[in-house]
């Protein structure tokens, strides 16, 4: 093959010490028992709430008997859903485990005799995924603490952009300075932009020279990106690569473009410790469906790269997820190469973390509890989900090998000459996968917006387990959405995809039956139910404040013994949630932001994801892959830094949020006016509704600011505000006369 396939399938320990495990799995028994007691007590109170709804007669107004009974029944159905969903969510917390690796033991045992590692960085659009950001990710993984002759970095450009290719050629030149500098001075993080940003002005003379080279490279790339074209002198300098673009090539219509920029086997690159660097843009034609990121992964990861370096281990990263820890690969190998427990692990998943999160995590993008608690809990049930980035895989497993099957032998062969890229371009053509099992039995799965989730599920159903590593120092850091709309769109796609999984042939309920444990099935279902959970949440919250407006009590009086289970569930669950959030390193304000964001996700993103899935099932619409923008203008960036919520665009999701927010405000105002007029009976009979509606008003304060008080460009568009107010007022007016 082009780079030579060395016999790394059977990495032999170079030293004794087999008895020492390369990683350790720990359980915290006391904490687990405490949580189980808490969980059971909450479910017991939920059961009491069900009993109350069924047995305690509703106070019926003779003028609206049917409506009262319907409302009571709807509340019961919603509370049954909440109870069952509570049971499902406990699967990811019932049996948590923590993994700890021993890289020093790995080094003693294997030295540099490690398996080949192929790293795949995926990008798709040079406008919303700037080339400079992309090459910073490439440079960060090129400088991993790994034998350079065993490391290869591939950039998959699904946008087929000359600008991205140009940026990579510039990065390949700069790597000759950057990678040796990182190895010599143990630089962390290994992304040039992140490293220089962290150092500020505190650079010595050597680092300043490297920084100046980076600034010059960055200026050239940013100038080309701003002008939208590659400089002529660059075309002359790197002419061989640019000749692969046809004159009429577009993002959706071009041939395969493959260029090996750095050959990591050559003596001059080995001497300066530069790994192999490869650019690929697979063929795209309008008449052929390209299967989005999954199609790009299969073309590059499992076909083209197999003819160039064929790494036994592969790491895939989104283009904004740079390596924050140069030893991440060694941490993953501690699990995959462990002689005892590592043989059953197919992939090692790292958390998706971000370096631009505000102190109080304005948009709850870190999902602290999800990372520090829920994924750890899934690990104890057979392994976490594959989330599409920051994941180390065994190549043959993602290609379809079942647990227990023998690994394919790779003969040791040393090919001195380079195979021409033209000889393997067909592997990335549009027609190569026709009438094959690619996307079905082989490679990353097709047909779902969350192809990574079903791919991980399929691997686990073949008998494999996965492992979750969450070291104190985050291994990979990305770019979090810096405005509310970006975040909501991203979660709309995720919830839609997860719900599609639940209804597809890959549903964990029937696809996983008999293949994976019940705990893991429920863990998958927890995420698959995000979209349908939006309906009962929306109905329950809307009924609470609308019935307050009409004076219809939905909950027992505070003085009643029946109020105890309602109060317990509300207070204790939120108190535990706060304590858990603080334990995971968050702040009180961060927890409050998270409550707001989850409310917005459930009443907009998840609801739209639910309706999108239903529309797709009815054949009315098709799923679309939406790329989250990684750029923001300076004013928006400053507002984000100051933790001011960004609206700024017209969106159906904002119209829904604005209408619900104003409706909640009007209902609360009406209740306060009744209370101020001396009607204290309302508060005695509907105190709980009053408190809930008031809390929702406080949670929505940034929304009201954006709609009514702010004047900057990030405020809610006037058209959305007017429509929301009109709809909410119309609803209240109609309700008043019912």
């Amino acid at each position: 093959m082009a780079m030579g396939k060395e016999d790394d399938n059977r990495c032999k320990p170079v030293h004794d010490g087999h008895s020492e495990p390369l990683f350790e799995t720990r359980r915290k028994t006391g904490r687990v028992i405490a949580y189980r007691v808490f969980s059971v007590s909450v479910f017991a109170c939920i059961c009491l709430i069900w009993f109350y709804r069924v047995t305690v007669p509703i106070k019926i107004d003779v003028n609206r008997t049917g409506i009262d009974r319907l409302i009571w029944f709807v509340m019961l159905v919603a509370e049954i859903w909440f109870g069952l969903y509570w049971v499902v969510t406990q699967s990811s917390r019932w049996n948590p485990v923590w993994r700890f690796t021993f890289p020093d033991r790995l080094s003693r045992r294997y030295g540099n005799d490690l398996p080949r590692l192929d790293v795949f960085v995926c990008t798709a659009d040079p406008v919303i995924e700037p080339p400079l950001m992309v090459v910073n990710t490439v440079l960060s993984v090129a400088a991993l603490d790994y034998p350079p002759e065993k490391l290869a970095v591939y950039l998959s450009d699904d946008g087929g952009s000359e600008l991205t290719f140009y940026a990579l050629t510039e990065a390949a030149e700069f790597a000759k300075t950057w990678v040796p500098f990182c190895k010599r001075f143990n630089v962390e993080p290994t992304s040039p932009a992140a490293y220089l940003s962290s150092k500020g002005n505190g650079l010595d003379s050597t680092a300043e020279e490297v920084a100046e080279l980076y600034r010059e490279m960055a200026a050239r790339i940013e100038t080309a990106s701003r002008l939208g074209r590659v400089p002529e002198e660059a075309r002359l300098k790197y002419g061989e690569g640019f000749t692969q673009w046809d004159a009429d090539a577009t993002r959706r219509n071009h041939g395969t473009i493959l260029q090996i920029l750095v050959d990591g086997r050559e003596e001059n690159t080995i001497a300066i410790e530069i790994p192999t660097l490869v650019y690929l843009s697979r063929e795209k034609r309008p008449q052929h469906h390209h299967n989005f990121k999954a199609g790009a992964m299969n073309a590059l990861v499992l076909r083209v790269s197999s003819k160039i370096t064929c790494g036994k281990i592969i790491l895939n990263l989104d283009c904004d997820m740079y390596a924050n820890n140069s030893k991440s690969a060694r941490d993953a190998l501690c699990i995959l190469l462990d002689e005892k427990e590592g043989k059953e692990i197919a992939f090692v998943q790292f958390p998706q973390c971000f370096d631009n999160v505000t102190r109080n995590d304005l948009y709850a993008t870190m999902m602290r509890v999800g990372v520090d608690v829920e994924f750890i809990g899934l690990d104890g049930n057979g392994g976490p989900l594959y989330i599409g980035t920051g994941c180390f895989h065994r190549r043959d497993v993602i290609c379809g090998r079942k647990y227990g099957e023998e690994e394919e032998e790779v003969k040791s062969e040393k090919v001195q000459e380079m195979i021409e890229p033209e000889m393997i371009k067909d592997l990335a053509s549009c027609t190569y996968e026709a009438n094959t099992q690619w996307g079905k039995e082989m490679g990353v799965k097709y047909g779902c917006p969350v192809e990574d989730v079903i791919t991980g599920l399929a691997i686990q159903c073949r008998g494999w387990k996965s492992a979750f590593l969450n070291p104190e120092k985050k291994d990979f850091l990305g770019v979090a959405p810096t405005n509310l709309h970006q975040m909501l769109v991203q979660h709309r796609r995720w919830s839609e995809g997860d719900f599609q999984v639940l209804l597809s042939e890959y549903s964990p309920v029937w696809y996983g039956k008999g293949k994976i444990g019940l705990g893991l099935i429920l863990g998958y279902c927890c995420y698959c139910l995000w979209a349908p959970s939006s309906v009962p949440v929306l109905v329950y919250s809307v009924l609470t404040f609308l019935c307050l407006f009409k004076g219809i009590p939905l909950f027992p009086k505070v003085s009643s013994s029946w109020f105890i289970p309602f109060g317990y569930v509300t207070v204790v669950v939120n108190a535990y949630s706060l304590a858990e959030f603080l334990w995971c390193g968050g702040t009180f304000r961060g927890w409050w932001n998270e409550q707001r964001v989850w409310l917005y996700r459930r009443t907009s993103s998840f609801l739209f994801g639910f309706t999108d899935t239903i529309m797709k099932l009815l054949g009315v619409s098709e799923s679309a892959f939406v790329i989250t923008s990684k750029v923001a203008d300076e004013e928006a960036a400053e507002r984000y830094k100051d933790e001011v919520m960004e609206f700024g665009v017209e969106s159906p999701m904002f119209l829904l949020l604005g209408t619900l927010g104003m409706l909640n405000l009007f209902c609360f105002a009406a209740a306060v006016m009744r209370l101020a007029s001396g009607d204290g009976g309302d508060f005695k009979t509907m105190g709980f509704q009053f408190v809930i509606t008031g809390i929702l008003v406080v949670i929505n304060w940034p929304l009201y600011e954006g709609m009514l008080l702010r004047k900057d460009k990030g405020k809610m568009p006037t058209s959305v505000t007017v429509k929301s107010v009109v709809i909410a007022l119309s609803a209240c007016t109609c309700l008043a006369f019912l």
Side-chain angles (χ1 to χ4, degrees), residues 175-209:
K176 297 174 184 177
T177 301
W178 176 250
V179 174
F181 171 72
C182 291
K183 299 288 180 73
R184 180 181 176 186
F185 296 101
N186 296 316
V187 168
E188 298 282 0
T190 50
S191 161
Y195 172 73
L196 296 176
S197 175
S198 67
K199 291 296 181 180
N201 297 322
L203 298 174
D204 58 26
S205 57
T206 304
E208 187 57 47
E209 290 178 9

Side-chain angles (χ1 to χ4, degrees), residues 499-576:
F499 190 36
Q500 286 183 23
V501 171
L502 185 66
L503 302 178
S504 72
E505 62 180 305
Y506 294 107
S507 172
V509 178
W510 44 80
Y511 186 74
K513 185 179 180 181
K515 301 174 185 176
I516 57 178
L518 178 61
L520 192 53
I521 290 175
L522 292 177
Y524 273 99
C525 288
C526 177
Y527 294 94
C528 292
L529 291 173
W530 270 2
S533 71
S534 63
V535 178
V537 169
L538 179 64
V539 171
Y540 203 82
S541 58
V542 170
L543 278 180
T544 298
F545 54 73
L546 288 183
C547 288
L548 177 66
F549 180 81
K550 288 295 291 182
I552 304 174
L554 296 179
F555 305 99
K557 295 180 181 179
V558 177
S559 58
S560 169
S561 59
W562 280 113
F563 178 75
I564 295 175
F566 286 94
Y568 182 88
V569 170
T570 303
V571 174
V572 174
V573 169
N574 282 287
Y576 188 91

Side-chain angles (χ1 to χ4, degrees), residues 117-229:
L117 172 63
D118 289 347
V119 183
F120 305 104
V121 179
C122 299
T123 185
D125 191 320
V127 176
I128 60 180
E129 295 175 333
L132 183 59
M133 179 191 70
V134 174
V135 297
N136 265 282
T137 298
V138 170
L139 289 166
S140 73
V141 291
L144 287 175
D145 180 13
Y146 210 81
E149 68 278 8
K150 298 285 187 75
L151 177 64
V153 183
Y154 293 80
L155 176 61
S156 170
D157 178 16
D158 235 20
S161 169
E162 287 185 309
L163 292 172
T164 303
F165 176 74
Y166 166 62
L168 188 63
T169 58
E170 289 281 1
E173 288 295 315
F174 178 64
K176 297 174 184 177
T177 301
W178 176 250
V179 174
F181 171 72
C182 291
K183 299 288 180 73
R184 180 181 176 186
F185 296 101
N186 296 316
V187 168
E188 298 282 0
T190 50
S191 161
Y195 172 73
L196 296 176
S197 175
S198 67
K199 291 296 181 180
N201 297 322
L203 298 174
D204 58 26
S205 57
T206 304
E208 187 57 47
E209 290 178 9
V210 175
E212 186 58 33
L213 289 175
Y214 171 75
R215 294 186 192 105
E216 292 173 0
M217 178 197 74
R220 291 192 295 270
I221 293 174
E222 288 185 325
T223 299
S225 298
R226 187 174 60 256
L227 297 175
R229 56 182 173 80

